[in-house]
Amino acid sequence: MKLHVFNWMTGAAVVLLISHQSLGQWKKHEIVPAGSHAINSAVAEDFDRDGNVDVLTSHGGHVLLLRGPDWSSHSIHRFDAKDSRMKPRLDCIHSCLMDVDGDGDLDFVGSSNTVFWLECPPRPFSGEAWKYRVVDDEILGTHCLITADVNRDGKLDLIANSGRQANVTAFPNSLVWLEVPANPKAAKHWTRHLFADQNAPGGSHYTGFADMNQDGRGDICCAAKGGDGFPGGEWFAWWEQPTDSTGNWIKHVLHNKQPGASNILPVDLNSDGQMDFVASRGHGSGVLWFKGPEFRLIEIDRTIKGPHCLVVLDLDQDGDQDFATCGRQADGKAAWYENDGKGSFDRHWIGENQGSYDIRAVDMDGDHDLDLLIAGHQSKNVVWYENQLADR
């Protein structure tokens, strides 16, 4: 049961979750056992095309390819100060997959101070290192990497943030999209397009891409935490793409008093044909949505702690968009929010004592439903939760 109220202090509609069901229909599988290193990101693909999903992640100074289904570990890159002018981290703060060189397989794109890509070889598990190349070593504090065809030329681009101050980067508090060069194997860096020039202050986190105003051009949303060291944060916003994607993008602030803001994704949540946003406060508490076209803030769940990851998907296969998240601390809880098709939600617990910086929707076991792949930051592991909702 849910109780709908209105907060006259903030002007936000609030949905209070009075009761919620624990279905017990998720089985936790361990890919990387808890260790001594934080793990911030994990992506999945059947790299060797043997019918089993493999996982790419990074920790302890290596990028690791984990071969399914037994998850044997293969180092495909060891970070080295010689890689680029920026000293690398021991891991990637975020990553994605992208066919950079157009050869039909997916390459790995990561952020370890430098944004880089690793070329997938014909035999991914041969033991040879994947070739390391720089994407951009001038932006800094890249907390999110996503792909989209920004300029509508039929080719995927890379969207990234540069969330550090002017004392360490020439592109402070900014967002960029990066165009793959004609010959990415020979290029020293990709073509950078600065679309949010120093107007994304604070600790900018995760981004999303969709046509929000139905003008045929994709727009980009982002969230930023504030607090010590991150002045100007605590906002959710989106940038409207102009006719020329290299021109001046218009910033629209959705809300600028959101402590711990971290994630925002575009989606039509209430099936009315208008785009909305679902968002989370990963360095605070709570998940919420902005109802389009006015983007009115509606609280979904104020109580979930540290939901530092967010994925939108139809988990129960009923035709509408649900979403899932997980707390970032080692004692975090994973949950999914069941949509009734009209933007009203029931929270269901998936698991507990699991931290997360990253969550992906992947059919891990080939049973034609979407499971949840989680990289644990403070829990220092990689796990996946098996979707068994069809059994209910």
Side-chain angles (χ1 to χ4, degrees):
M1 183 176 69
K2 294 180 287 294
L3 177 65
H4 298 256
V5 301
F6 189 82
N7 188 327
W8 292 104
M9 295 294 292
T10 64
V14 181
V15 178
L16 300 178
L17 299 174
I18 302 303
S19 64
H20 21 79
Q21 188 177 12
S22 296
L23 297 178
Q25 291 172 321
W26 295 85
K27 183 178 180 181
K28 186 176 183 177
H29 301 266
E30 192 173 62
I31 296 175
V32 178
S36 57
H37 300 283
I39 305 178
N40 301 309
S41 187
V43 291
E45 166 71 1
D46 181 4
F47 287 99
D48 56 356
R49 302 179 183 178
D50 67 348
N52 296 306
V53 172
D54 312 304
V55 171
L56 265 171
T57 189
S58 66
H59 62 89
H62 294 261
V63 179
L64 299 169
L65 179 57
L66 306 163
R67 191 172 196 170
D70 62 353
W71 311 120
S72 58
S73 181
H74 306 259
S75 176
I76 62 170
H77 179 72
R78 181 175 181 176
F79 291 115
D80 192 295
K82 298 177 182 178
D83 287 341
S84 74
R85 69 182 189 86
M86 299 299 299
K87 181 181 178 180
R89 299 166 49 95
L90 293 176
D91 53 33
C92 294
I93 196 68
H94 204 238
S95 61
C96 68
L97 296 174
M98 182 181 190
D99 184 4
V100 174
D101 50 8
D103 64 354
D105 56 34
L106 291 176
D107 308 299
F108 178 82
V109 184
S111 169
S112 179
N113 284 333
T114 294
V115 179
F116 67 94
W117 70 284
L118 300 177
E119 180 187 352
C120 180
R123 295 187 300 139
F125 291 96
S126 66
E128 67 175 306
W130 292 25
K131 179 67 177 178
Y132 176 101
R133 295 183 176 90
V134 171
V135 172
D136 195 317
D137 62 356
E138 294 185 89
I139 62 175
L140 193 62
T142 299
H143 215 91
C144 182
L145 296 166
I146 64 171
T147 61
D149 182 4
V150 177
N151 59 350
R152 308 176 302 284
D153 65 352
K155 301 175 183 178
L156 286 179
D157 308 297
L158 188 67
I159 299 169
N161 59 323
S162 185
R164 294 295 182 262
Q165 302 299 313
N167 61 325
V168 292
T169 176
F171 305 97
N173 299 320
S174 299
L175 302 172
V176 306
W177 66 275
L178 298 152
E179 198 170 359
V180 181
N183 186 352
K185 294 183 181 182
K188 293 183 178 180
H189 56 79
W190 293 13
T191 305
R192 182 194 312 114
H193 301 283
L194 195 66
F195 72 88
D197 185 1
Q198 301 186 50
N199 69 348
S204 59
H205 269 52
Y206 300 100
T207 58
F209 180 88
D211 181 3
M212 298 306 300
N213 53 2
Q214 301 179 346
D215 64 358
R217 300 185 291 273
D219 310 300
I220 299 174
C221 54
C222 189
K225 71 173 184 178
D228 293 341
F230 301 99
E234 302 188 351
W235 50 260
F236 295 106
W238 66 283
W239 280 258
E240 179 183 347
Q241 183 175 169
T243 303
D244 179 358
S245 57
T246 64
N248 295 319
W249 293 50
I250 301 172
K251 181 180 180 180
H252 302 272
V253 176
L254 296 165
H255 209 287
N256 59 9
K257 295 181 180 179
Q258 294 294 310
S262 60
N263 303 70
I264 183 167
L265 291 172
V267 59
D268 180 2
L269 278 178
N270 56 347
S271 307
D272 66 351
Q274 300 284 344
M275 292 298 295
D276 314 297
F277 294 103
V278 63
S280 70
R281 307 181 190 96
H283 285 270
S285 296
V287 290
L288 59 147
W289 68 294
F290 294 94
K291 183 179 180 181
E294 297 85 7
F295 301 122
R296 179 169 59 97
L297 190 159
I298 303 173
E299 298 283 351
I300 297 172
D301 178 4
R302 287 184 177 273
T303 62
I304 188 167
K305 295 181 180 179
H308 198 276
C309 59
L310 191 65
V311 65
V312 174
L313 68 163
D314 183 3
L315 265 175
D316 51 5
Q317 300 182 351
D318 66 352
D320 53 42
Q321 295 298 302
D322 314 299
F323 68 92
T325 187
C326 182
R328 66 187 179 92
Q329 304 287 351
D331 62 353
K333 289 186 175 182
W336 75 281
Y337 293 79
E338 181 181 6
N339 192 350
D340 68 355
K342 299 178 182 179
S344 186
F345 298 88
D346 284 320
R347 180 182 65 190
H348 304 289
W349 293 121
I350 295 171
E352 57 186 10
N353 296 318
Q354 176 60 48
S356 178
Y357 254 35
D358 196 9
I359 188 169
R360 311 284 173 133
V362 183
D363 183 3
M364 296 292 293
D365 50 6
D367 65 352
H368 307 294
D369 59 22
L370 290 172
D371 310 297
L372 296 173
L373 175 67
I374 290 179
H377 176 68
Q378 293 199 19
S379 54
K380 301 176 182 179
N381 61 355
V382 178
V383 303
W384 69 278
Y385 285 98
E386 182 180 349
N387 185 346
Q388 298 176 317
L389 293 177
D391 299 333
R392 65 175 176 171

